[in-house]
């Protein structure tokens, strides 16, 4: 739990988050959250004001916990890599690896993925606020990195590559329970995680006409 969040507020965020993930905003009452958190209703009103605000803060809390920041760092230091094809290739690999580390194996509670899936299937006003605050800025940063990795690429094509990266990883995040029943797809297995990371990196580099770094030239894991 974030050390900067007061203990009671943090407990309420985690408790409400799991309940919202399982039953949705409308399926959870303030009373139920308070009971499960071992707190009183007044504490929820004190920290959040309303159930809608609590839901917004839960989603914001989760998004900050899993937020990836490398794209912004690379954009700030673009002069160090954008003119060298191999350096650009390594940037792409690092962006893939950052997201793999965030989601494989799960470093966060399992309800994080369920909350996002429910939020996408049943949008609330919180989604619009968080999209403007976090999702869209992060998406555009990643898109700009892709654009710099292939000079002359249009903005629309760069956004397609961002969709490719996020969509592929999203498959493993949101379908975790289903994927475990597929042959040789144990998302908790280190070799499987490494294979996915290498496969996605190669796919992106091929599409961007970038060279393979030496560490991607070994096909051992793909041969298993």
């Amino acid at each position: 739990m974030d050390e900067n969040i007061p203990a009671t507020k943090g407990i309420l965020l985690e408790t409400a988050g799991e309940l919202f993930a399982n039953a949705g905003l409308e399926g959870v009452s303030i009373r139920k959250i308070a009971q499960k958190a071992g707190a009183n209703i007044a504490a929820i009103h004190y920290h959040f004001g309303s159930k809608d605000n609590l839901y917004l803060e839960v989603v914001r809390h989760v998004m900050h916990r899993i937020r990836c920041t490398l794209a912004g760092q690379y954009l700030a230091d673009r002069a160090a890599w954008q003119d060298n094809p191999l350096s650009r290739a390594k940037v792409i690999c690092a962006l893939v690896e950052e997201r793999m580390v965030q989601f494989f194996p799960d470093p966060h509670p399992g309800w994080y993925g369920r909350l996002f899936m429910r939020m996408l299937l049943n949008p609330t006003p919180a989604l619009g606020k968080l999209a403007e605050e976090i999702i869209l800025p992060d998406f555009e940063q990643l898109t700009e990195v892709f654009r710099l990795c292939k000079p002359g690429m249009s903005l629309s094509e760069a956004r397609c590559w961002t969709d490719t990266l996020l969509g592929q990883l999203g498959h493993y995040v949101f379908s975790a329970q289903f994927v475990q029943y597929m042959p040789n797809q144990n998302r908790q297995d280190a070799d499987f995680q490494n294979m996915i990371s290498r496969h996605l990196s190669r796919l992106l580099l091929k599409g961007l006409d970038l060279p393979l770094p030496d560490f991607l030239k070994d096909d051992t894991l793909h041969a298993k």
Side-chain angles (χ1 to χ4, degrees), residues 71 73-89 91 144-146 148-149:
Q73 295 175 36
Y74 280 126
L75 288 176
D77 193 32
R78 66 184 68 188
W81 57 269
Q82 68 176 6
D83 294 327
N84 183 292
L86 184 57
S87 294
R88 297 201 298 267
V91 165
E144 180 63 9
V145 171
F146 276 114
L148 292 174
C149 282

Side-chain angles (χ1 to χ4, degrees), residues 60-69 98-99 102-103 107-108 112 116 138:
R60 180 180 284 124
H61 168 68
V62 171
M63 295 190 74
H64 279 294
R65 290 286 300 276
I66 66 174
R67 193 173 191 179
C68 294
T69 60
E98 178 189 29
R99 282 157 176 77
Q102 280 288 59
F103 297 113
H108 307 297
Y112 280 23
F116 277 110
D138 287 357

Side-chain angles (χ1 to χ4, degrees), residues 146-208:
F146 276 114
R147 194 185 65 79
L148 292 174
C149 282
K150 187 176 182 180
M153 178 189 290
S154 68
L155 180 60
S156 59
E157 183 182 355
R159 285 173 173 163
C160 286
W161 283 111
T162 300
D163 287 338
T164 297
L165 171 57
L166 299 180
Q168 183 68 52
L169 291 175
H171 163 70
Y172 292 102
V173 173
F174 293 124
S175 62
Q177 296 303 312
F178 173 76
V179 167
Q180 67 180 332
Y181 296 107
M182 303 299 289
N184 302 317
Q185 294 203 21
N186 179 3
R187 69 194 302 270
Q188 301 299 323
D189 181 74
D191 282 348
F192 177 66
Q193 297 161 23
N194 193 17
M195 182 181 70
I196 293 301
S197 179
R198 291 157 63 88
H199 170 75
L200 185 52
S201 293
R202 286 172 169 171
L203 172 68
L204 295 171
L205 295 182
K206 184 174 179 62
L208 296 169

Side-chain angles (χ1 to χ4, degrees), residues 85-164:
L86 184 57
S87 294
R88 297 201 298 267
K90 290 179 179 179
V91 165
I92 295 299
C93 293
L95 293 175
V96 172
E97 182 64 21
E98 178 189 29
R99 282 157 176 77
M100 293 296 297
V101 169
Q102 280 288 59
F103 297 113
F104 298 85
D106 294 323
H108 307 297
W111 59 263
Y112 280 23
R114 297 197 303 275
L115 179 69
F116 277 110
M117 179 61 76
R118 186 176 290 277
M119 182 177 67
L120 293 174
L121 293 175
N122 300 288
T124 71
L127 179 58
K129 292 180 181 179
L130 271 298
E132 182 178 351
E133 179 182 329
I134 299 175
I135 299 173
L136 292 180
D138 287 357
F139 183 92
E140 292 303 331
Q141 284 187 341
L142 192 54
T143 296
E144 180 63 9
V145 171
F146 276 114
R147 194 185 65 79
L148 292 174
C149 282
K150 187 176 182 180
M153 178 189 290
S154 68
L155 180 60
S156 59
E157 183 182 355
R159 285 173 173 163
C160 286
W161 283 111
T162 300
D163 287 338
T164 297

